[in-house]
Amino acid sequence: MSIKPLIILPDPILRQVSKPVERVDSDLRKLADDMLETMYDAPGIGLAAIQVGEPRRLLVIDLAKEGEEPAPHVFINPEILESSGQRSVYEEGCLSIPDYYAEVERPAAVRVKYLDRDGKLQEMQAEGLMATCLQHEIDHLNGVLFIDHISKLKRDMVVRKFKKLAKEKAPGKMVG
Ligand code: GNR
Ligand code: NI
């Protein structure tokens, strides 16, 4: 297992649309394990493959709190089958947008189908934080970030700040 470097805003990699996983093999399971290790190290409660530079439709989630037994979930080629009309608001963060948090409104519950780490078709009815996290991660697979759900004014401020930070870190590398 290994911890992989995280892709940070405004890296255009985060805007790529990830490709469906064609086979659930040992290579893919190794990537899922590396993503879990990277997520636990951060620490975070979810991670999409694109956040470690892999444009594949794969995400991991573990909502267990500190001191609880780990509860790793691997979702491959996830699809939202149904979203509730009822909405809920959570304060979201993203490992690709460190130290920025904002309230996002999303459907309160979703039904999702996906392949598990054995390649077996599964369905999950999710609500609460699991529903929010699944939608946040599935957004990543489509090149969408949680800041796309906040006001343009706030989003522009965040993007500007991260562009400036990237410039300071790697002068000359960034364009724009
Ligand atoms: O660690 C994370 N916490 C979080 C909190 C509220 C809503 C979504 C998330 S996901 C985030 C990790 C991450 O960036 N996943 O893509
Ligand atoms: Ni994220």
Side-chain angles (χ1 to χ4, degrees):
M1 298 239 283
S2 55
I3 294 166
K4 294 178 171 275
L6 290 165
I7 308 290
I8 304 295
L9 190 77
D11 196 318
I13 288 173
L14 292 171
R15 295 307 189 175
Q16 286 184 22
V17 177
S18 295
K19 294 250 170 18
V21 169
E22 292 195 356
R23 59 170 56 80
V24 180
D25 54 13
S26 58
D27 173 74
L28 191 88
R29 277 188 284 273
K30 162 89 166 71
L31 174 59
D33 288 342
D34 287 350
M35 286 167 58
L36 282 164
E37 195 182 2
T38 303
M39 179 185 78
Y40 292 136
D41 177 68
I45 58 171
L47 191 72
I50 196 65
Q51 292 179 277
V52 293
E54 295 278 350
R56 298 195 245 180
R57 301 189 79 82
L58 161 67
L59 62 92
V60 297
I61 291 178
D62 190 334
L63 302 182
K65 298 191 188 73
E66 240 188 88
E68 289 180 2
E69 275 294 296
H73 290 276
V74 176
F75 298 84
I76 300 160
N77 297 342
E79 285 178 42
I80 294 175
L81 299 173
E82 207 179 318
S83 303
S84 65
Q86 194 193 326
R87 304 203 149 228
S88 66
V89 175
Y90 269 91
E91 176 152 278
E92 298 196 16
C94 183
L95 295 175
S96 296
I97 313 174
D99 304 315
Y100 180 74
Y101 304 89
E103 289 193 333
V104 177
E105 187 182 298
R106 302 180 185 269
V110 288
R111 198 158 58 86
V112 176
K113 78 164 187 182
Y114 62 97
L115 301 178
D116 66 15
R117 57 172 291 136
D118 300 315
K120 195 173 161 233
L121 185 62
Q122 301 280 0
E123 252 186 60
M124 179 190 281
Q125 173 70 38
E127 52 189 57
L129 186 56
M130 180 58 92
T132 287
C133 196
L134 270 168
Q135 292 172 81
H136 175 116
E137 304 308 340
I138 291 171
D139 270 356
H140 275 301
L141 306 186
N142 296 323
V144 174
L145 300 171
F146 85 92
I147 54 170
D148 299 335
H149 298 290
I150 65 179
S151 74
K152 177 168 159 50
L153 183 73
K154 284 188 190 168
R155 178 169 60 254
D156 287 350
M157 275 169 44
V158 179
V159 171
R160 242 198 313 281
K161 183 181 153 200
F162 277 82
K163 278 186 175 164
K164 186 160 172 276
L165 284 170
K167 246 183 208 161
E168 286 165 7
K169 265 194 174 171
K173 271 198 180 174
M174 284 293 307
V175 186

